[in-house]
Amino acid sequence: MAFVKTTPSMARKAPLSEGTLLGWLRLNLFASVFNSILTVFVLFIIFFTVKALWIWGIADAVWVADTRRECFNININGACWAGIIAWLDGIFYGRYPRDELWRINLGGIMLFIWMAPLWLPRVQGKILVGLSTVALYPFLAGYLFAGGDKGVFMQIMVTAAIVALAANIANAAIGFFINGNLPDFIIRSIRQNEAPEARQRNILLAILAALFIAVFVWQMNWTVEVVSWTRWGGLFLTFVIAGIGIASALPGGILLALGRRSKLTVIRVLSTSFIEVFRSVPLITVLFMATTMFPLFMPEGFVLNKLVQVIIAVCLFNACYLAETVRAGLQAIPNGQYEGAHTIGLGYWKTMGLIIMPQALKHMIPNIVGSFIGLLKDTTLVSIIGLFDVLTILRSISKDGPWLGLHQEALVFGAMLFFVLCFAMSKYSRHLEAKLSTGHKN
Amino acid sequence: MTDTKTQDAFKAREQLASAASSEVIIDLNKVNKWFGDFHVLKDIDLIVHKGERIVICGPSGSGKSTLIRCINHLEEHQEGTIIVDGITLDKNLKHIDHIRTEVGMVFQSFNLFPHLSVLENLTLGPIWVRKMPKSEARANAMKYLERVKIPEQADKFPGQLSGGQQQRVAIARSLCMNPKIMLFDEPTSALDPEMIKEVLDVMVELADTGMTMIVVTHEMGFAKTIADRVIFMDEGDIVEENEPNAFFDNPRHERTKLFLSQIL
Ligand SMILES: Nc1ncnc2c1ncn2[C@@H]1O[C@H](COP(=O)(O)OP(=O)(O)OP(=O)(O)O)[C@@H](O)[C@H]1O
Ligand SMILES: [Mg+2]
């Protein structure tokens, strides 16, 4: 059919777009009558909640007082934050001796220094930094926190950790300020860069050995007083349990996941049953079993303290959960990746470590961080078997003479604490995901 | 195809083929393979000489991919012997690893490593398998990227390249291992028509260097240019085998005739 246009089309004003605030409001909040009612209703609820919280938590709150009664006298409608402030040391450090708190702080600072290079630009060898954090830092920090006599093994590990920390700092400084890495820098500064590779390696090993011996001799005279694990508590204890749990659950989970996919029947059956048993039991049961049944399996006279038992239980439990997460990640990797790796001659471990795992873990970051967040929150369960984690301390405030009955403030504070930690972790995982994406299409 | 350069290249290939024809590099003897109950490869006999270029074609499902995947042991055969570069493929993992470093393979779906840059894709094998120093591996990789004509893409990630470029990176990745044999499994059938030529050009150049090549493809023009022999497979059998001109102009087996009439 033929068609000839006779009247010109008139220009009209553009429809309300999402570009303007008014347009956005109209489209998203007031699109229909029902939508508008819902919006108004929700705003109403938000307004009253926030207002009530504001009055209770900030406007009418009491910040300085010596007892809860004093708080009431000043303003009975507000929160009594003075009690939380008085207990801050307890919340953070538990019943750790007050004169020895510097050890915990030093441990925290060392962790920060150890890991900071991971986020600094231009620093090389970040994988080693990450690995040494997991493999060596716990020994140094563990001794610092627990104190006492070092056995030979502990002496070696503490020495290795100190050497690693020193090398790490030097390497980070060199990478950040003048580009390059520590070994290259040493070789260049003693003018050996023309020397054959074997000779360069020997020089580096010699320096490393000398440093190791020097530190070893020094640390033999360095001891700190024993602090029994029963005095560990608060956020510090929560971090110790969650930290070790997080650091060991991922490697453990990877090994278990690989075991479950292994071609060797024995390994496969063992891994599978291990995973299934732990996953079908609640954590609290695992904790009880660890503290009551573990001693039964141990040789006569071998006593593990309760904290170590709990940490082992938390690690195994979370390794099993992560194993399933990792397995799901592995299944998402197409077969072609294995074949590509095999055709350039990579064997099983290199294929897994260089090709498959990096991709699977990248897919899995949100789930892995989700598990870590769960782990952090689950550590509060240790209160039930008598460890003084942050939640136990918060609840004990209400039983403390001057602050008798201070429940609400303590729990609100605990909620905020956990929210901040978990929210930070989940935000960071989003950031990581975006940073690691390389625009591939599969 | 009448300029002197191609003719020279053609002659050079003839010489290479005849000079090397004595040395057998791949020897398949009565190879049988089943997927479950399904008999995919039936008594396959195939001898490939050093420097020979073989094109395999045949209908879908005839076992072409399975055959060349057996050569670098991505698939395991159940009966018969496969000898590659003097080494018999058996359960010995050392042998398999060794053969895989000598045999490069290019897939229809590229199988590049998406989390590594192009340069890292190319240096991974030399560094971790051949233990080559990093700087040397990088120089080596750049040399092959030049050869496949995309040195400027070295720092990109595979996901940022076109299909044709990805396939050329895949070819370069295999060549970086300095293999003795190259296997190609339909390297151009996932590509848009305008990209097929750039990949085939690279493969023709590779053929000119005297590389031993086994190529599964339906690009008949390409087969005529480079192949010393064309093998036609159907239902797990090698049905016909001939030099390319005779194969295309004068097929003898009924099934070959039928197949060629369908694709030409
Ligand atoms: N892993 C496997 N398990 C079971 N059957 C398979 C497997 N791989 C291939 N097959 C079957 O074996 C037969 C041969 O497959 P192959 O991939 O070798 O064919 P092809 O000749 O390469 O076909 P195409 O041209 O479609 O690639 C097909 O029928 C296919 O369904
Ligand atoms: Mg195929």
Side-chain angles (χ1 to χ4, degrees), chain B residues 35 38 40 58-67 75 108 185-186 216 218:
Chain B
F35 281 122
F38 179 60
V40 215
S60 178
S62 55
K64 310 177 295 290
S65 300
T66 310
L67 174 63
E75 302 285 357
Q108 181 176 355
D185 190 1
E186 308 204 28
V216 175
H218 293 149

Side-chain angles (χ1 to χ4, degrees), chain A residues 110-188:
Chain A
M110 278 197 309
L111 180 62
F112 177 79
I113 294 178
W114 204 305
M115 294 183 66
L118 291 175
W119 289 275
L120 285 178
R122 295 190 298 281
V123 174
Q124 299 182 5
K126 289 190 178 178
I127 293 180
L128 272 180
V129 175
L131 282 181
S132 67
T133 315
V134 175
L136 293 175
Y137 169 78
F139 290 97
L140 183 54
Y143 177 69
L144 196 59
F145 299 154
D149 271 340
K150 294 191 275 273
V152 178
F153 175 72
M154 228 16 201
Q155 300 217 9
I156 293 174
M157 292 318 283
V158 166
T159 310
I162 293 174
V163 172
L165 179 57
N168 181 8
I169 294 172
N171 181 53
I174 289 166
F176 185 71
F177 292 113
I178 49 182
N179 254 326
N181 57 37
L182 182 61
D184 285 353
F185 181 80
I186 295 177
I187 292 295
R188 245 183 304 125

Side-chain angles (χ1 to χ4, degrees), chain A residues 336-337 339 343 350 354 438, chain B residues 69 100 111-112 114-115 128:
Chain A
Q337 291 293 309
E339 295 181 350
T343 50
K350 283 177 189 159
L354 297 169
T438 53
Chain B
R69 287 159 62 86
R100 282 179 178 162
N111 295 347
L112 293 174
H115 62 303
W128 288 91

Side-chain angles (χ1 to χ4, degrees), chain A residues 73-86:
Chain A
N73 290 340
I74 297 171
N75 191 337
I76 197 158
N77 293 322
C80 180
W81 294 123
I84 305 296
I85 293 172

